[in-house]
Structures are given as structure tokens and as C-alpha cells.
């Protein structure tokens, strides 16, 4: 696939060029995971991340170059306060009520590596501290780690 395809959205986040392929582009990439002849990295986890991002409009899966353009790394972004914030999705369990769900944590230094990133990784990670840390969506107690987004509780009848 060519990165100049009109269906692929291009944007710059923290100075790094990020591609947002359309749903149809992702389907083609599942069959042939190459863009401009560079392979997609971490293929085992990228498709579950894509499925998750399709469920929640505020979660976006993009691709950015790393290792001097040798490969495309998947990056997950949370649309928060008009910013696209780099996050790591992780499953947490509340120690008070046993709620278990996906959460988004920006406090992982590895999120801030990539070609073209124009600020120090630690500075970018520290800047993400401005977002409020969210409590358990079920009981309101403090969750472990540093979630700035939590999967909503699925209410059952
Ligand atoms: Zn709880």
C-alpha cells in the first residue's frame, strides 16, 4: 500500500507523522501489512487494538515510523481535551469491587519514541500528567496505575 492513498489521513503528533488508514485500508493491511514497502510492527497485538478502537470513537489507532523508517509502529491515541494523547491500553482490576476493564495509561515512556518526535520523551510523558486520573467506573474508588480513560461499565437488565 502507498501512504499517499487519499483514504489515509495524515497528521503530525508531537512532530511525528501519523497515518490513520480507513477501515478498508486496514482490511487490506491485514492481508498485506506493508506501507511504502515497510512492514507493520507488532502484528500479533495490532488487530485486537484495532477492534477495540472501532468500538470507542475516542480511541484511535494510527501508524508512525520508528527505527529511521524501517517499520511502522502502531500507536493508540485518546482524543481528550482536543488533543490526540498517546496511550497504552491495559486491563485493570479494581481491588475494591472487582470491576475489570480496559483503561488507557499515558505514563509509559515507550509511547514517546518514534521518528520525528520533536520533544524529549520524558517531557512529553510529564505533560500527560495534566489529565485527571479516573476512578473505578463501578464503585468510584482509586484504580491502580494511571488511567485517564476507563471502559464504561456495561449495564445489564
Ligand atoms: Zn471498583
Amino acid at each position: 500500500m502507498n501512504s499517499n492513498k487519499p483514504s489515509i489521513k495524515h497528521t503530525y503528533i508531537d512532530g511525528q507523522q501519523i497515518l490513520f488508514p480507513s477501515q478498508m485500508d486496514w482490511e487490506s493491511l491485514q492481508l498485506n501489512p506493508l506501507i511504502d514497502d515497510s512492514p507493520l510492527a507488532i502484528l500479533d497485538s495490532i488487530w485486537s487494538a484495532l477492534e477495540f478502537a472501532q468500538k470507542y470513537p475516542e480511541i484511535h489507532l494510527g501508524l508512525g515510523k520508528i527505527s529511521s523508517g524501517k517499520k511502522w509502529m502502531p500507536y493508540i491515541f485518546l482524543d481528550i481535551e482536543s488533543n490526540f494523547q498517546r496511550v497504552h491500553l491495559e486491563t485493570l482490576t479494581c481491588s475494591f469491587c472487582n470491576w475489570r476493564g480496559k483503561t488507557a495509561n499515558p505514563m509509559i515512556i515507550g509511547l514517546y519514541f518514534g521518528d520525528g518526535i520533536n520533544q524529549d520523551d520524558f517531557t512529553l510523558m510529564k505533560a500527560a500528567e495534566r489529565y485527571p486520573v479516573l476512578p473505578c467506573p463501578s464503585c468510584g474508588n482509586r484504580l491502580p496505575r494511571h488511567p485517564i480513560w476507563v471502559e464504561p461499565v456495561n449495564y445489564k437488565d
Side-chain angles (χ1 to χ4, degrees):
M1 184 178 296
N2 190 310
S3 63
N4 288 326
K5 267 186 95 173
S7 56
I8 300 181
K9 260 188 263 169
H10 291 236
T11 187
Y12 283 87
I13 299 175
D14 310 319
Q16 183 184 24
Q17 189 181 35
I18 301 291
L19 309 183
F20 290 104
S22 70
Q23 178 58 33
M24 274 179 69
D25 294 328
W26 280 116
E27 284 168 22
S28 312
L29 288 168
Q30 275 179 303
L31 302 172
N32 186 18
L34 287 173
I35 300 176
D36 300 341
D37 296 323
S38 297
L40 269 57
I42 332 185
L43 284 176
D44 49 337
S45 64
I46 186 172
W47 308 121
S48 60
L50 177 66
E51 206 174 297
F52 193 78
Q54 285 162 350
K55 234 171 113 181
Y56 295 106
E58 65 274 34
I59 307 279
H60 300 267
L61 178 67
L63 295 167
K65 286 269 182 85
I66 194 161
S67 311
S68 305
K70 283 198 195 79
K71 53 188 176 178
W72 293 97
M73 180 69 92
Y75 293 91
I76 294 158
F77 299 94
L78 173 66
D79 190 350
I80 181 170
E81 297 176 13
S82 307
N83 283 308
F84 265 35
Q85 171 60 47
R86 295 163 189 266
V87 291
H88 174 66
L89 293 176
E90 52 194 20
T91 302
L92 295 182
T93 303
C94 174
S95 55
F96 298 92
C97 73
N98 287 323
W99 169 86
R100 189 173 161 80
K102 277 275 202 301
T103 64
N105 180 1
M107 305 305 283
I108 309 274
I109 199 81
L111 299 170
Y112 301 95
F113 294 114
D115 293 356
I117 292 184
N118 54 12
Q119 282 180 79
D120 175 66
D121 43 282
F122 192 71
T123 306
L124 285 169
M125 189 179 76
K126 288 294 283 180
E129 275 191 333
R130 72 180 182 276
Y131 301 116
V133 174
L134 300 185
C136 169
S138 177
C139 75
N141 278 299
R142 179 87 172 80
L143 285 169
R145 310 277 288 166
H146 193 102
I148 61 167
W149 177 89
V150 297
E151 196 171 12
V153 177
N154 292 317
Y155 291 101
K156 291 186 185 108
D157 290 329

